[in-house]
Amino acid sequence: MHDEVQLSPRERLALLQIEANLYQDRGFARRMGVVRDRTWLPASVVLLAAASAFAAVMGVRTSEPALLWCFALLWPLTLFQAFRLLCRAARPRSRRSGTRPTSWL
């Protein structure tokens, strides 16, 4: 596809700015197959689950209301992030993205 066209530095900068603006649109980036770093969601689910479990166990063992409130605040966040992760895993992938069913496996 490279047909020996030379762009000036100004034209290259303009092209890079146009591409950056286009990739700000998540739907467009997804359709174009741009893969972003997707390790934050699984990591957040693991960390929130560990923090929720710790707050629940320590709250029950010590009967400390602050720990129980921490659990009450962390658990819905954990469920929400886990739901987002499951939705991502269940989303159909195109054949171009690779042989693995999800990008985090």
Side-chain angles (χ1 to χ4, degrees):
M1 182 150 178
H2 189 309
D3 33 336
E4 301 298 325
V5 175
Q6 296 293 326
L7 298 176
S8 71
R10 184 177 176 195
E11 291 171 330
R12 275 187 256 138
L13 180 61
L15 183 60
L16 287 173
Q17 288 174 341
I18 291 170
E19 288 176 351
N21 288 335
L22 286 174
Y23 287 123
Q24 291 296 322
D25 180 16
R26 287 184 180 180
F28 176 77
R30 195 176 316 124
R31 284 190 304 271
M32 293 302 292
V34 174
V35 179
R36 289 190 222 141
D37 186 22
R38 294 180 175 248
T39 59
W40 288 110
L41 186 58
S44 71
V45 170
V46 169
L47 290 175
L48 282 170
S52 296
F54 176 78
V57 169
M58 293 306 292
V60 168
R61 286 189 71 193
T62 63
S63 297
E64 181 70 31
L67 286 171
L68 294 173
W69 278 106
C70 284
F71 173 74
L73 292 173
L74 284 173
W75 187 240
L77 293 173
T78 305
L79 292 178
F80 176 69
Q81 291 293 79
F83 178 73
R84 286 182 58 208
L85 186 62
L86 288 173
C87 287
R88 179 192 291 176
R91 187 180 318 140
R93 298 282 178 193
S94 67
R95 293 186 186 259
R96 293 182 306 153
S97 65
T99 59
R100 295 186 296 184
T102 60
S103 62
W104 48 271
L105 284 177

XYZ file of all heavy atoms in Angstrom:
841
model
N 0.817 -1.178 0.000
C 0.000 0.000 0.000
C 0.869 1.253 0.000
O 0.396 2.330 -0.234
C -0.905 -0.031 1.235
C -1.815 1.130 1.299
S -3.291 0.650 2.138
C -4.116 2.181 2.129
N 2.117 1.100 0.271
C 3.038 2.228 0.276
C 3.386 2.562 -1.168
O 4.002 1.781 -1.874
C 4.292 1.831 1.055
C 5.217 2.970 1.297
N 5.656 3.800 0.318
C 5.798 3.416 2.434
C 6.467 4.695 0.811
N 6.572 4.484 2.105
N 2.980 3.734 -1.639
C 3.238 4.092 -3.027
C 4.209 5.247 -3.134
O 4.066 6.113 -3.993
C 1.946 4.361 -3.798
C 0.852 4.975 -2.968
O 0.873 4.802 -1.760
O -0.033 5.600 -3.548
N 5.231 5.249 -2.283
C 6.339 6.194 -2.382
C 5.896 7.654 -2.377
O 6.453 8.473 -3.096
C 7.169 5.897 -3.641
C 7.747 4.508 -3.698
C 8.703 4.214 -2.566
O 9.431 5.125 -2.129
O 8.715 3.067 -2.115
N 4.881 7.981 -1.607
C 4.442 9.360 -1.488
C 5.157 9.978 -0.290
O 5.144 9.423 0.806
C 2.910 9.433 -1.289
C 2.466 10.859 -1.048
C 2.192 8.838 -2.478
N 5.802 11.104 -0.537
C 6.511 11.797 0.527
C 5.629 12.926 1.060
O 5.163 13.763 0.293
C 7.833 12.371 -0.007
C 8.809 11.316 -0.476
C 9.311 10.471 0.687
O 9.478 10.964 1.794
N 9.520 9.196 0.424
N 5.413 12.921 2.359
C 4.638 13.985 2.984
C 5.592 14.956 3.662
O 6.604 14.556 4.233
C 3.673 13.419 4.017
C 2.598 12.463 3.511
C 1.804 11.921 4.681
C 1.689 13.160 2.534
N 5.216 16.195 3.615
C 6.018 17.195 4.312
C 5.804 17.034 5.818
O 4.812 16.425 6.243
C 5.609 18.597 3.861
O 4.330 18.913 4.361
N 6.691 17.563 6.638
C 6.483 17.471 8.094
C 5.155 18.079 8.535
O 4.498 17.558 9.438
C 7.662 18.248 8.674
C 8.720 18.164 7.631
C 7.984 18.136 6.327
N 4.754 19.151 7.902
C 3.472 19.779 8.243
C 2.299 18.856 7.905
O 1.345 18.737 8.682
C 3.351 21.100 7.478
C 2.132 21.878 7.805
C 2.130 23.188 7.076
N 0.896 23.894 7.325
C 0.475 24.913 6.640
N 1.214 25.399 5.670
N -0.662 25.492 6.918
N 2.375 18.187 6.761
C 1.316 17.259 6.371
C 1.283 16.042 7.297
O 0.211 15.567 7.663
C 1.525 16.803 4.929
C 1.297 17.895 3.913
C 1.728 17.494 2.513
O 2.665 16.683 2.380
O 1.114 17.989 1.555
N 2.470 15.534 7.686
C 2.517 14.408 8.613
C 1.906 14.775 9.962
O 1.169 13.991 10.546
C 3.964 13.935 8.809
C 4.384 12.963 7.724
C 5.729 12.379 8.015
N 6.650 13.073 7.113
C 7.846 13.530 7.406
N 8.331 13.368 8.613
N 8.577 14.141 6.513
N 2.204 15.979 10.434
C 1.639 16.437 11.704
C 0.120 16.554 11.615
O -0.601 16.137 12.519
C 2.257 17.775 12.103
C 1.755 18.374 13.417
C 2.070 17.445 14.580
C 2.359 19.739 13.633
N -0.366 17.100 10.511
C -1.809 17.233 10.319
C -2.469 15.850 10.271
O -3.537 15.643 10.879
C -2.109 18.002 9.045
N -1.832 14.912 9.599
C -2.372 13.554 9.519
C -2.400 12.887 10.894
O -3.384 12.240 11.265
C -1.544 12.718 8.543
C -2.018 11.302 8.284
C -3.421 11.294 7.709
C -1.058 10.587 7.368
N -1.342 13.059 11.665
C -1.313 12.493 13.014
C -2.389 13.103 13.903
O -3.012 12.404 14.711
C 0.067 12.692 13.633
C 1.186 11.817 13.070
C 2.530 12.232 13.660
C 0.912 10.355 13.332
N -2.635 14.394 13.765
C -3.679 15.043 14.554
C -5.060 14.533 14.162
O -5.917 14.306 15.021
C -3.611 16.558 14.390
C -2.427 17.184 15.083
C -2.295 18.667 14.778
O -2.847 19.161 13.796
N -1.550 19.362 15.627
N -5.285 14.346 12.886
C -6.572 13.815 12.422
C -6.780 12.401 12.973
O -7.857 12.067 13.467
C -6.636 13.826 10.877
C -6.707 15.267 10.366
C -7.822 13.011 10.383
C -6.523 15.392 8.867
N -5.739 11.553 12.885
C -5.862 10.193 13.402
C -6.104 10.188 14.907
O -6.913 9.409 15.410
C -4.603 9.398 13.075
C -4.485 9.037 11.617
C -3.175 8.322 11.308
O -2.295 8.257 12.202
O -3.032 7.848 10.182
N -5.417 11.050 15.646
C -5.609 11.115 17.092
C -7.040 11.512 17.428
O -7.649 10.949 18.347
C -4.619 12.096 17.714
N -7.596 12.459 16.682
C -8.980 12.871 16.913
C -9.961 11.752 16.585
O -10.960 11.563 17.285
C -9.320 14.122 16.111
C -8.643 15.355 16.663
O -8.303 15.416 17.832
N -8.429 16.334 15.810
N -9.687 11.008 15.531
C -10.575 9.905 15.165
C -10.554 8.799 16.209
O -11.590 8.228 16.541
C -10.188 9.337 13.796
C -10.558 10.190 12.593
C -9.977 9.586 11.321
C -12.065 10.315 12.473
N -9.375 8.479 16.734
C -9.271 7.394 17.699
C -9.771 7.783 19.083
O -9.859 6.936 19.966
C -7.846 6.863 17.767
C -7.495 6.053 16.536
C -6.413 6.386 15.734
C -8.274 4.973 16.163
C -6.112 5.659 14.606
C -7.984 4.243 15.032
C -6.902 4.578 14.262
O -6.612 3.851 13.140
N -10.123 9.046 19.294
C -10.758 9.434 20.552
C -12.168 8.858 20.639
O -12.687 8.641 21.731
C -10.826 10.969 20.671
C -9.487 11.621 20.866
C -8.835 11.229 22.167
O -9.499 11.090 23.185
N -7.537 11.030 22.138
N -12.781 8.618 19.497
C -14.106 8.009 19.450
C -13.959 6.510 19.690
O -13.373 5.797 18.873
C -14.750 8.282 18.083
C -16.129 7.679 17.953
O -16.728 7.317 18.982
O -16.610 7.584 16.805
N -14.464 6.012 20.810
C -14.284 4.610 21.177
C -14.921 3.658 20.170
O -14.373 2.620 19.844
C -14.870 4.351 22.549
C -14.066 4.926 23.658
C -14.670 4.544 24.980
N -13.896 5.089 26.074
C -14.192 4.924 27.324
N -15.267 4.238 27.651
N -13.440 5.442 28.264
N -16.108 4.017 19.688
C -16.784 3.158 18.713
C -15.987 3.026 17.434
O -15.849 1.939 16.879
N -15.440 4.133 16.960
C -14.624 4.103 15.754
C -13.360 3.278 15.975
O -12.986 2.458 15.142
C -14.249 5.532 15.335
C -13.319 5.587 14.161
C -13.791 5.376 12.884
C -11.974 5.844 14.335
C -12.944 5.414 11.796
C -11.116 5.892 13.274
C -11.600 5.675 11.988
N -12.702 3.499 17.112
C -11.474 2.757 17.407
C -11.763 1.260 17.494
O -10.969 0.441 17.024
C -10.857 3.267 18.702
N -12.897 0.903 18.078
C -13.258 -0.508 18.184
C -13.496 -1.107 16.806
O -13.062 -2.216 16.505
C -14.504 -0.649 19.061
C -14.750 -2.040 19.533
C -15.947 -2.142 20.478
N -15.977 -1.098 21.473
C -17.006 -0.269 21.659
N -18.084 -0.377 20.914
N -16.977 0.650 22.593
N -14.208 -0.357 15.945
C -14.472 -0.859 14.591
C -13.196 -0.982 13.771
O -13.070 -1.860 12.934
C -15.454 0.050 13.874
C -16.883 -0.118 14.333
C -17.849 0.613 13.441
N -17.564 2.025 13.294
C -18.015 2.999 14.072
N -18.791 2.703 15.080
N -17.708 4.252 13.837
N -12.228 -0.109 14.029
C -10.968 -0.148 13.285
C -10.014 -1.203 13.829
O -8.979 -1.455 13.238
C -10.286 1.224 13.332
C -11.048 2.298 12.587
S -11.321 1.903 10.852
C -9.667 1.979 10.235
N -10.355 -1.803 14.951
C -9.523 -2.864 15.503
C -8.346 -2.375 16.313
O -7.366 -3.093 16.472
N -8.428 -1.156 16.825
C -7.347 -0.636 17.654
C -7.422 -1.315 19.010
O -8.438 -1.268 19.684
C -7.466 0.897 17.814
C -6.425 1.406 18.788
C -7.331 1.563 16.475
N -6.343 -1.962 19.403
C -6.300 -2.667 20.667
C -5.605 -1.784 21.691
O -4.485 -1.352 21.490
C -5.560 -4.009 20.531
C -5.491 -4.721 21.865
C -6.233 -4.867 19.493
N -6.308 -1.518 22.770
C -5.721 -0.761 23.863
C -5.291 -1.718 24.959
O -5.679 -2.874 24.977
C -6.740 0.230 24.426
C -7.018 1.355 23.495
C -7.821 2.401 24.222
N -8.858 2.866 23.331
C -10.074 3.140 23.687
N -10.450 3.009 24.928
N -10.950 3.557 22.827
N -4.531 -1.195 25.880
C -4.120 -1.991 27.024
C -5.361 -2.313 27.850
O -6.006 -1.425 28.381
C -3.099 -1.211 27.854
C -2.541 -2.033 28.974
O -2.596 -3.277 28.890
O -2.035 -1.431 29.941
N -5.683 -3.583 27.956
C -6.912 -3.997 28.626
C -6.634 -4.753 29.916
O -7.401 -5.613 30.314
C -7.746 -4.871 27.690
C -8.247 -4.110 26.493
C -9.051 -5.027 25.611
N -9.631 -4.284 24.523
C -10.929 -4.078 24.405
N -11.752 -4.549 25.275
N -11.384 -3.392 23.386
N -5.538 -4.441 30.572
C -5.223 -5.153 31.801
C -5.790 -4.471 33.023
O -5.789 -5.057 34.106
C -3.706 -5.292 31.968
O -3.130 -3.986 31.983
C -3.105 -6.109 30.846
N -6.268 -3.244 32.909
C -6.748 -2.517 34.077
C -8.045 -3.078 34.630
O -8.219 -3.143 35.849
C -6.930 -1.034 33.761
C -5.622 -0.344 33.608
C -5.094 0.147 32.456
C -4.658 -0.087 34.622
N -3.873 0.696 32.691
C -3.574 0.567 34.023
C -4.605 -0.357 35.974
C -2.457 0.957 34.738
C -3.493 0.037 36.678
C -2.441 0.684 36.059
N -8.959 -3.485 33.786
C -10.240 -3.998 34.284
C -10.080 -5.309 35.050
O -10.584 -5.423 36.172
C -11.247 -4.126 33.147
C -12.664 -4.511 33.556
C -13.243 -3.511 34.539
C -13.552 -4.612 32.320
N -9.377 -6.312 34.520
C -9.190 -7.533 35.322
C -8.414 -7.278 36.611
O -8.737 -7.851 37.655
C -8.407 -8.463 34.393
C -8.653 -7.952 33.033
C -8.876 -6.485 33.157
N -7.431 -6.403 36.545
C -6.655 -6.089 37.748
C -7.528 -5.402 38.792
O -7.424 -5.693 39.996
C -5.456 -5.218 37.389
N -8.403 -4.510 38.343
C -9.274 -3.826 39.302
C -10.266 -4.795 39.931
O -10.587 -4.675 41.117
C -10.004 -2.660 38.634
O -10.978 -3.121 37.732
N -10.756 -5.759 39.159
C -11.679 -6.753 39.716
C -10.967 -7.586 40.781
O -11.517 -7.828 41.867
C -12.264 -7.653 38.606
C -13.028 -8.828 39.187
C -13.166 -6.843 37.688
N -9.754 -8.001 40.507
C -9.004 -8.808 41.474
C -8.722 -8.003 42.737
O -8.923 -8.496 43.862
C -7.689 -9.324 40.838
C -6.771 -9.921 41.881
C -7.995 -10.342 39.760
N -8.269 -6.771 42.575
C -7.959 -5.946 43.747
C -9.212 -5.601 44.560
O -9.179 -5.650 45.797
C -7.247 -4.675 43.316
C -5.823 -4.869 42.800
C -5.255 -3.555 42.290
C -4.944 -5.443 43.892
N -10.297 -5.266 43.885
C -11.533 -4.980 44.608
C -12.079 -6.210 45.317
O -12.591 -6.117 46.442
C -12.586 -4.413 43.659
C -12.438 -2.946 43.281
C -13.391 -2.595 42.142
C -12.710 -2.064 44.480
N -11.970 -7.375 44.684
C -12.441 -8.605 45.321
C -11.599 -8.918 46.560
O -12.147 -9.308 47.601
C -12.394 -9.766 44.332
N -10.293 -8.735 46.455
C -9.428 -8.985 47.612
C -9.732 -7.999 48.741
O -9.818 -8.396 49.918
C -7.964 -8.893 47.198
N -9.914 -6.738 48.396
C -10.223 -5.736 49.417
C -11.592 -5.999 50.040
O -11.766 -5.852 51.262
C -10.175 -4.335 48.809
N -12.551 -6.396 49.241
C -13.882 -6.708 49.770
C -13.830 -7.906 50.703
O -14.446 -7.894 51.778
C -14.858 -6.998 48.626
O -15.050 -5.869 47.835
N -13.109 -8.941 50.293
C -12.998 -10.132 51.140
C -12.302 -9.789 52.460
O -12.735 -10.224 53.536
C -12.245 -11.237 50.406
N -11.235 -9.004 52.375
C -10.521 -8.613 53.592
C -11.431 -7.802 54.518
O -11.480 -8.054 55.728
C -9.276 -7.798 53.232
C -8.539 -7.287 54.428
C -7.720 -8.124 55.156
C -8.669 -5.963 54.829
C -7.041 -7.663 56.265
C -8.001 -5.490 55.938
C -7.176 -6.342 56.667
N -12.146 -6.833 53.957
C -13.031 -6.001 54.787
C -14.155 -6.836 55.390
O -14.528 -6.633 56.553
C -13.610 -4.862 53.953
N -14.688 -7.799 54.649
C -15.762 -8.643 55.173
C -15.257 -9.532 56.300
O -15.876 -9.609 57.368
C -16.359 -9.488 54.052
N -14.141 -10.198 56.082
C -13.613 -11.108 57.100
C -13.216 -10.343 58.355
O -13.566 -10.733 59.475
C -12.419 -11.912 56.530
C -11.685 -12.657 57.636
C -12.907 -12.876 55.473
N -12.479 -9.258 58.194
C -12.047 -8.491 59.355
C -13.232 -7.809 60.044
O -13.253 -7.677 61.270
C -10.992 -7.463 58.960
C -9.684 -8.097 58.511
S -8.989 -9.256 59.698
C -8.553 -8.158 61.023
N -14.216 -7.380 59.284
C -15.398 -6.767 59.870
C -16.202 -7.738 60.701
O -16.708 -7.400 61.771
N -16.310 -8.979 60.231
C -17.042 -9.998 60.984
C -16.245 -10.422 62.222
O -16.805 -10.600 63.299
C -17.367 -11.204 60.076
C -17.865 -12.389 60.883
C -18.388 -10.804 59.028
N -14.943 -10.573 62.047
C -14.113 -11.021 63.185
C -14.047 -9.983 64.296
O -14.033 -10.334 65.474
C -12.698 -11.329 62.705
C -12.615 -12.629 61.922
C -11.214 -13.024 61.651
N -10.601 -13.468 62.923
C -9.310 -13.640 63.079
N -8.495 -13.388 62.083
N -8.837 -14.049 64.225
N -13.953 -8.700 63.935
C -13.772 -7.664 64.954
C -15.064 -6.932 65.293
O -15.084 -6.167 66.253
C -12.744 -6.622 64.483
O -13.232 -5.969 63.312
C -11.399 -7.258 64.211
N -16.101 -7.115 64.511
C -17.377 -6.394 64.669
C -17.174 -4.884 64.628
O -17.890 -4.128 65.278
C -18.066 -6.789 65.980
O -18.381 -8.150 65.957
N -16.208 -4.464 63.844
C -15.906 -3.037 63.687
C -16.842 -2.452 62.622
O -16.818 -2.887 61.463
C -14.447 -2.855 63.280
C -14.003 -1.429 63.120
C -13.939 -0.716 64.460
O -13.656 -1.370 65.489
O -14.189 0.492 64.460
N -17.668 -1.471 62.964
C -18.609 -0.906 61.984
C -17.913 -0.267 60.773
O -18.434 -0.340 59.664
C -19.380 0.147 62.774
C -19.182 -0.188 64.203
C -17.875 -0.897 64.296
N -16.747 0.328 60.987
C -16.051 0.969 59.867
C -15.663 -0.054 58.804
O -15.783 0.209 57.599
C -14.815 1.710 60.369
N -15.211 -1.223 59.231
C -14.850 -2.269 58.266
C -16.080 -2.810 57.553
O -16.029 -3.123 56.352
C -14.095 -3.394 58.965
C -12.657 -3.072 59.359
C -12.091 -4.172 60.235
C -11.809 -2.871 58.124
N -17.174 -2.931 58.269
C -18.406 -3.401 57.638
C -18.918 -2.383 56.620
O -19.423 -2.751 55.556
C -19.463 -3.710 58.693
C -19.121 -4.886 59.617
C -20.145 -5.001 60.733
C -19.034 -6.172 58.823
N -18.775 -1.092 56.932
C -19.160 -0.059 55.968
C -18.232 -0.063 54.754
O -18.675 0.172 53.628
C -19.187 1.318 56.623
C -20.461 1.567 57.351
C -20.659 1.579 58.700
C -21.736 1.814 56.754
N -21.980 1.812 58.985
C -22.668 1.964 57.804
C -22.186 1.917 55.449
C -24.011 2.212 57.580
C -23.535 2.156 55.220
C -24.426 2.307 56.282
N -16.965 -0.316 54.988
C -16.032 -0.431 53.855
C -16.454 -1.567 52.932
O -16.443 -1.431 51.708
C -14.607 -0.652 54.350
S -13.823 0.819 54.996
N -16.815 -2.692 53.531
C -17.302 -3.811 52.731
C -18.566 -3.426 51.976
O -18.718 -3.747 50.795
C -17.562 -5.037 53.603
C -18.229 -6.153 52.855
C -17.520 -6.911 51.941
C -19.577 -6.428 53.044
C -18.132 -7.922 51.222
C -20.195 -7.441 52.338
C -19.472 -8.191 51.430
N -19.476 -2.731 52.659
C -20.735 -2.327 52.029
C -20.490 -1.383 50.850
O -21.262 -1.374 49.889
C -21.650 -1.660 53.047
N -19.428 -0.609 50.895
C -19.105 0.288 49.775
C -18.316 -0.416 48.675
O -18.498 -0.130 47.491
C -18.316 1.492 50.282
C -19.091 2.456 51.176
C -18.150 3.506 51.752
C -20.210 3.105 50.402
N -17.425 -1.329 49.057
C -16.579 -2.004 48.067
C -17.316 -3.089 47.283
O -17.037 -3.283 46.102
C -15.364 -2.632 48.755
C -14.264 -1.696 49.176
C -13.218 -2.447 49.980
C -13.629 -1.044 47.963
N -18.229 -3.788 47.921
C -18.867 -4.931 47.264
C -19.658 -4.543 46.012
O -19.520 -5.204 44.974
C -19.721 -5.685 48.267
C -20.264 -6.962 47.714
C -21.565 -7.301 47.579
C -19.508 -8.067 47.206
N -21.677 -8.553 47.023
C -20.433 -9.042 46.777
C -18.145 -8.315 47.052
C -20.025 -10.246 46.220
C -17.747 -9.524 46.502
C -18.677 -10.471 46.091
N -20.489 -3.493 46.032
C -21.181 -3.124 44.782
C -20.209 -2.710 43.669
O -20.434 -3.026 42.497
C -22.072 -1.951 45.187
C -22.239 -2.078 46.650
C -20.993 -2.708 47.162
N -19.133 -2.031 44.028
C -18.127 -1.673 43.017
C -17.483 -2.920 42.421
O -17.237 -2.995 41.214
C -17.054 -0.774 43.625
C -17.501 0.615 44.045
C -16.370 1.332 44.781
C -17.938 1.411 42.841
N -17.214 -3.886 43.282
C -16.628 -5.145 42.808
C -17.579 -5.854 41.848
O -17.157 -6.327 40.789
C -16.310 -6.061 44.006
O -15.476 -5.356 44.915
C -15.626 -7.333 43.560
N -18.852 -5.921 42.209
C -19.830 -6.581 41.338
C -19.981 -5.852 40.010
O -20.093 -6.483 38.947
C -21.179 -6.687 42.049
C -21.239 -7.632 43.241
C -22.623 -7.592 43.873
C -20.872 -9.041 42.821
N -19.969 -4.524 40.055
C -20.095 -3.750 38.828
C -18.902 -3.991 37.894
O -19.082 -4.222 36.698
C -20.204 -2.261 39.160
C -20.232 -1.378 37.961
C -21.322 -1.367 37.115
C -19.154 -0.549 37.654
C -21.355 -0.556 35.990
C -19.167 0.254 36.544
C -20.271 0.253 35.707
N -17.694 -3.969 38.444
C -16.504 -4.206 37.622
C -16.477 -5.641 37.100
O -16.080 -5.881 35.962
C -15.234 -3.907 38.414
C -15.028 -2.436 38.713
C -14.754 -1.623 37.475
O -15.666 -1.275 36.731
N -13.507 -1.310 37.251
N -16.884 -6.589 37.920
C -16.938 -7.984 37.467
C -17.967 -8.146 36.350
O -17.737 -8.893 35.382
C -17.266 -8.905 38.636
N -19.093 -7.458 36.460
C -20.103 -7.498 35.399
C -19.542 -6.931 34.103
O -19.753 -7.501 33.025
C -21.344 -6.726 35.843
C -22.421 -6.671 34.805
C -23.175 -7.796 34.523
C -22.669 -5.500 34.110
C -24.176 -7.759 33.556
C -23.657 -5.454 33.144
C -24.415 -6.585 32.867
N -18.826 -5.807 34.188
C -18.200 -5.234 32.993
C -17.201 -6.203 32.368
O -17.133 -6.344 31.140
C -17.479 -3.932 33.337
C -18.404 -2.774 33.593
C -17.651 -1.502 33.883
N -16.758 -1.174 32.773
C -15.633 -0.499 32.901
N -15.248 -0.069 34.082
N -14.891 -0.239 31.858
N -16.439 -6.900 33.211
C -15.462 -7.865 32.719
C -16.156 -9.032 32.024
O -15.723 -9.481 30.955
C -14.604 -8.359 33.879
C -13.431 -9.258 33.530
C -12.438 -8.535 32.638
C -12.752 -9.735 34.795
N -17.258 -9.517 32.607
C -17.993 -10.606 31.983
C -18.636 -10.169 30.673
O -18.684 -10.941 29.711
C -19.056 -11.143 32.939
C -18.516 -11.944 34.125
C -19.647 -12.281 35.079
C -17.822 -13.191 33.644
N -19.122 -8.938 30.627
C -19.694 -8.431 29.375
C -18.626 -8.351 28.290
O -18.877 -8.665 27.128
C -20.318 -7.060 29.589
S -21.870 -7.129 30.498
N -17.437 -7.928 28.663
C -16.334 -7.863 27.698
C -15.973 -9.258 27.208
O -15.718 -9.462 26.018
C -15.110 -7.223 28.335
C -13.943 -7.161 27.371
C -12.658 -6.806 28.026
N -12.641 -5.439 28.500
C -11.646 -4.912 29.176
N -10.593 -5.641 29.479
N -11.687 -3.666 29.574
N -15.960 -10.231 28.105
C -15.605 -11.595 27.721
C -16.674 -12.212 26.825
O -16.361 -13.017 25.948
C -15.407 -12.455 28.963
N -17.931 -11.823 27.022
C -19.026 -12.401 26.244
C -19.220 -11.709 24.899
O -19.907 -12.238 24.033
C -20.320 -12.325 27.033
N -18.611 -10.542 24.719
C -18.770 -9.796 23.473
C -18.145 -10.575 22.318
O -17.020 -11.058 22.428
C -18.093 -8.434 23.600
C -18.343 -7.537 22.430
C -17.662 -6.204 22.561
N -17.769 -5.664 23.909
C -16.769 -5.044 24.517
N -15.614 -4.908 23.931
N -16.928 -4.559 25.734
N -18.859 -10.721 21.223
C -18.284 -11.444 20.076
C -17.092 -10.680 19.504
O -17.109 -9.460 19.405
C -19.425 -11.521 19.067
C -20.417 -10.508 19.501
C -20.205 -10.248 20.948
N -16.074 -11.411 19.140
C -14.856 -10.822 18.585
C -14.781 -11.111 17.095
O -15.264 -12.127 16.608
C -13.608 -11.424 19.254
C -13.541 -11.175 20.713
C -13.094 -9.781 20.939
N -13.069 -9.528 22.381
C -12.952 -8.346 22.890
N -12.836 -7.315 22.116
N -12.944 -8.176 24.170
N -14.145 -10.213 16.390
C -13.927 -10.470 14.968
C -12.795 -11.467 14.816
O -11.973 -11.648 15.709
C -13.596 -9.171 14.236
O -12.347 -8.693 14.680
N -12.715 -12.085 13.683
C -11.673 -13.080 13.441
C -10.300 -12.439 13.284
O -9.293 -13.091 13.437
C -12.008 -13.899 12.204
C -13.231 -14.753 12.412
C -13.446 -15.658 11.222
N -14.695 -16.366 11.370
C -14.768 -17.606 11.779
N -13.692 -18.258 12.078
N -15.936 -18.197 11.882
N -10.263 -11.148 12.992
C -8.989 -10.468 12.810
C -8.241 -10.262 14.116
O -7.038 -10.097 14.117
C -9.195 -9.093 12.174
C -9.694 -9.157 10.777
C -9.815 -7.780 10.205
N -10.646 -6.951 11.079
C -10.549 -5.649 11.173
N -9.672 -5.000 10.466
N -11.329 -4.954 11.970
N -8.936 -10.255 15.242
C -8.311 -9.893 16.503
C -7.418 -10.987 17.074
O -6.747 -10.777 18.054
C -9.367 -9.498 17.532
O -10.162 -10.624 17.837
N -7.393 -12.162 16.478
C -6.534 -13.221 16.983
C -7.316 -14.480 17.249
O -8.523 -14.553 17.041
N -6.620 -15.477 17.750
C -7.275 -16.760 17.979
C -7.864 -16.874 19.377
O -8.691 -17.707 19.624
C -6.269 -17.911 17.779
O -5.180 -17.727 18.700
C -5.766 -17.924 16.355
N -7.409 -16.031 20.302
C -7.924 -16.096 21.657
C -9.305 -15.435 21.724
O -9.552 -14.446 21.056
C -6.977 -15.404 22.624
C -5.651 -16.129 22.704
C -4.777 -15.546 23.752
N -4.433 -14.185 23.417
C -3.619 -13.419 24.109
N -3.088 -13.891 25.209
N -3.343 -12.214 23.746
N -10.224 -15.961 22.540
C -11.572 -15.407 22.590
C -11.626 -14.026 23.220
O -12.452 -13.222 22.868
C -12.368 -16.405 23.422
C -11.343 -17.177 24.185
C -10.083 -17.155 23.367
N -10.742 -13.725 24.167
C -10.714 -12.405 24.786
C -9.276 -11.928 24.853
O -8.339 -12.709 24.820
C -11.292 -12.431 26.219
O -10.516 -13.309 27.000
C -12.740 -12.845 26.238
N -9.102 -10.622 24.990
C -7.758 -10.076 24.991
C -7.069 -10.232 26.333
O -5.887 -10.014 26.444
C -7.814 -8.596 24.623
O -8.558 -7.902 25.590
N -7.787 -10.614 27.379
C -7.166 -10.714 28.685
C -6.857 -12.152 29.089
O -6.376 -12.401 30.163
C -8.020 -10.037 29.754
C -9.465 -10.401 29.729
C -10.440 -9.787 29.031
C -10.079 -11.492 30.395
N -11.627 -10.407 29.222
C -11.444 -11.450 30.064
C -9.633 -12.493 31.239
C -12.333 -12.385 30.548
C -10.533 -13.411 31.720
C -11.870 -13.349 31.376
N -7.155 -13.114 28.223
C -6.816 -14.512 28.523
C -5.429 -14.843 28.055
O -4.902 -14.346 27.153
C -7.812 -15.465 27.863
C -9.163 -15.558 28.557
C -10.066 -16.462 27.763
C -9.048 -16.048 29.968
